[in-house]
Amino acid sequence: MKKSSASKKTAANTETAANTETGANTETGARTETAANTGKAASAGAGSGGKAAAKKTSAAKKAGAAKKTPAATKAATGQRSAAGQKTAKKAAAKKTAAKKTAAKKAAPLKRQAPAKKPAVAPKKATAAVKGVAPAKTVTPASPRGESRTALVRRARRINRELAEVYPYAHPELDFENPFQLVVATVLSAQTTDLRVNQTTPALFAKYPTPEDLAAAVPEEVEEILRPTGFFRAKTRSVIGLSKALVEDFGGEVPGRLEDLVKLPGVGRKTAFVVLGNAYGRPGITVDTHFQRLVRRWRWTEETDPDKIEAAVGALFPKSDWTDLSHHVIWHGRRICHARKPACGACPIAPLCPAYGEGETDPEKAKKLLKYEKGGFPGQRLKPPQAYLDAGGKPAPPLGAG
């Protein structure tokens, strides 16, 4: 009886301990440890009571496991599901990123148009006497196959550019009236305007009117005109035109082209100088500079002055003719020289088919500039005020060095 009571107590204790530990172990999933504890508790009893307790413990273990396992399984399943969802999301994100990367690589790249190389100098020359802005080496488009419309546009653009560079362009012969202008223009053949301006003050001081010059002694006039070159022929011309003015036009210079060309030594070039600058009537002055530049720019291939006048005149409105003549002549004297043009300092280099015939280095070209563009005196002893305001310097009188 004592043994039986002890067995019952042991079994009860064992069952309680087994249930407690089994619940704990079930929650953590440690079945092996529970079985070991149960075996130890059963061994502490005696005989058949121990075996019964072991059976009860096993039954309790199964019941506790049956009760606890669904909850634990649900929790574990939830954790696995959450982890699975996170993993799936990460995998989906990686696949999406991979698809985007593949799409970017697979998508054809848009070809960007290559940057156009500037065909023009970055800075164009200005009219200021400070100097012409240096121009970089350019490759102007060839006018081969240039249409008539394209030629007109290019020619007019050149004139507009030159008008900005030489806003103070004017006839570079000193004169106070039409008579002085026609005489000075006749004397300017085969010499410079500067030389004429240095010579005419003495001539007009001694012979101020056509009547005075018509009655002059040729030898005395020759001596005055000697510095201009070809002084004998020029003496005959100025005395002859003075006589014609007195005899045919009452001592006045006519204002019509057909009358002016009748005077000795006066051709269309001289007539247009007088008409444009003394009477304000449009005309194109085709001198040596004008002829050279318009052919260099391929405005025309004509060589006869009258044909050049007609060809160039057709490219511009009549109202532009006089100023156009000044712009072209000024550019020919200052930058676009006959022997060595200053291409590297030329404001219209991008428009010129002959670019490269002269010096293209900006610094070297700058040294080739003449008159006010090179910082030197101009050609007139008494230039217009606008020219002086722009920084121009008057020419020195004859014999001043």
Side-chain angles (χ1 to χ4, degrees), residues 43-121:
S43 299
S48 61
K51 291 180 180 179
K55 290 180 180 179
K56 288 181 181 179
T57 301
S58 178
K61 171 186 170 184
K62 289 180 180 179
K67 290 180 181 179
K68 300 288 182 177
T69 298
T73 302
K74 288 181 181 180
T77 303
Q79 290 177 354
R80 289 173 184 170
S81 178
Q85 289 178 359
K86 289 182 180 179
T87 304
K89 286 181 180 179
K90 289 182 180 179
K94 288 181 180 179
K95 287 181 180 180
T96 304
K99 286 181 180 180
K100 289 182 179 179
T101 303
K104 287 181 180 179
K105 290 181 179 179
L109 296 174
K110 293 182 179 180
R111 292 184 178 179
Q112 295 181 351
K116 294 182 179 180
K117 295 181 179 180
V120 298

Side-chain angles (χ1 to χ4, degrees), residues 350-361:
L351 302 172
C352 180
Y355 176 83
E357 289 185 6
E359 181 58 63
T360 57
D361 181 80

